[in-house]
Amino acid sequence: MKLGVTLPQDWKFDPQTALTRAAREAEETGYDSVWVFERILYPQDQTGVHGFGAYGAWPDGYRGVLDPLVAMSLAAAVTTRVRLGSAVIVPPLHVPYRLARSLAGIGAASGGRVVAGLGTGWSVDEFAVAAPRPIAERGAALDEFLDVADAVWGPDPVSFENERYTLWPAETGPKPDVKIPVYLGGWGSRALSRVARRADGWLPVMLPPAQIGTTLAELRKQADEYGRDPESVRAIAVVALGGELARVAPAERAPYQGSVEQIMGDLAELASVGVDEAVLTLPAVARDIEEYSDLLKRFHQEFLVL
């Protein structure tokens, strides 16, 4: 199993220096990939439909988040080896052609290192200010983006037409060296069906290893029913670290919390259920860039002896 890490994008970190330092250090330390995410605002009203689902208040790490395309571009400019992933970008918040072309450009500039982790989104506030289609159509909007991206990322000349957009035959380069792999988040039946039908893999977030293993087996069964090679559907798990890392291993704990050693045990379980890569959300537990740097090295050292 490979190991990736999310980059520092939120208000705790200086956008002038923290992200590029983190990307360089992750590559030098030996990580396989670096990852970004998308949040475009932090609402003042977090009651009712404006809240973070069952959790109520939005996480503090959603404040002041650097744009994911900017973050990926910065990381691409200071690295040469690590893959550059998104976990996740929300295509329904973007004009499909513009997002597809931006990802293709980063892929081309980085030598084909982009991994497109995508989701449908959930924030009514974000949809109200940015989305071309209403939040009720977010699944259809994601499918629309995938259709457009299939065209834009393919060989020139390309064309596309639906009821909203027309791309008359045109050149849309530059193109990445390799096709951009698409990993989709979500765990509802529609989301998982979309993964099985048309994605390179699944991007589970905050799910325990056993549930990921069961769902991955179901996804591969669905992929086979759609006429795909079931083993072509891969899984990259976002390990959502939470709270402070425990100095002493607690007996009772949630997955991906507790001591570093216990979290390593969770990673071993992920590997045993068929996950190809685990992505650590280090900014969630690091108070500043210095602590992030220390944790980056500590987790990788422990990972090497799994």
Side-chain angles (χ1 to χ4, degrees), residues 186-187 192 202-213 215 237-240 255-256 270:
W187 51 81
L192 294 175
W202 181 41
L203 196 66
V205 181
M206 297 193 302
L207 297 181
Q211 184 176 348
I212 291 174
T215 305
V238 179
V239 175
Y256 317 126
L270 288 173

Side-chain angles (χ1 to χ4, degrees), residues 11-206:
W11 65 276
K12 293 184 295 183
F13 303 95
D14 183 353
Q16 293 186 65
T17 58
L19 190 134
T20 50
R21 171 180 168 179
R24 282 194 298 262
E25 289 187 0
E27 181 165 87
E28 292 165 359
T29 302
Y31 283 82
D32 298 289
S33 58
V34 294
W35 295 74
V36 302
F37 76 106
E38 181 163 47
R39 281 275 73 83
I40 66 172
L41 49 73
Y42 189 86
Q44 294 297 290
D45 178 7
Q46 298 187 10
T47 61
V49 297
H50 304 282
F52 185 51
Y55 300 98
W58 288 38
D60 206 41
Y62 286 179
R63 295 177 183 268
V65 175
L66 185 67
D67 180 90
L69 298 174
V70 173
M72 291 177 82
S73 299
L74 289 169
V78 298
T79 59
T80 60
R81 178 186 58 79
V82 288
R83 284 171 293 113
L84 310 162
S86 58
V88 295
I89 286 174
V90 182
L93 299 179
H94 300 261
V95 174
Y97 176 82
R98 294 296 301 272
L99 177 59
R101 189 167 186 274
S102 294
L103 289 170
I106 299 170
S110 65
R113 293 186 282 137
V114 167
V115 180
L118 310 173
T120 55
W122 49 266
S123 166
V124 297
D125 296 80
E126 292 181 333
F127 271 81
V129 74
R133 298 172 66 165
I135 192 168
E137 298 177 11
R138 60 191 183 273
L142 177 55
D143 280 322
E144 181 176 63
F145 170 78
L146 295 174
D147 293 339
V148 172
D150 281 344
V152 173
W153 297 344
D156 287 332
V158 303
S159 61
F160 175 84
E161 184 172 7
N162 68 7
E163 65 274 18
R164 264 167 298 278
Y165 303 107
T166 298
L167 172 58
W168 286 300
E171 296 181 12
T172 61
K175 311 279 187 179
D177 293 346
V178 296
K179 181 184 179 297
I180 296 174
V182 171
Y183 282 70
L184 300 179
W187 51 81
S189 59
R190 291 183 180 179
L192 294 175
S193 176
R194 186 180 291 111
V195 174
R197 282 187 289 111
R198 61 185 312 180
D200 295 286
W202 181 41
L203 196 66
V205 181
M206 297 193 302

Side-chain angles (χ1 to χ4, degrees), residues 30 43 49 89 100 102 128 193 206 220 246 252 267 278 287 289 297:
V49 297
I89 286 174
S102 294
S193 176
M206 297 193 302
R220 288 175 170 165
E252 298 292 333
L267 297 193
R287 288 165 290 189
I289 189 59
K297 297 177 178 62

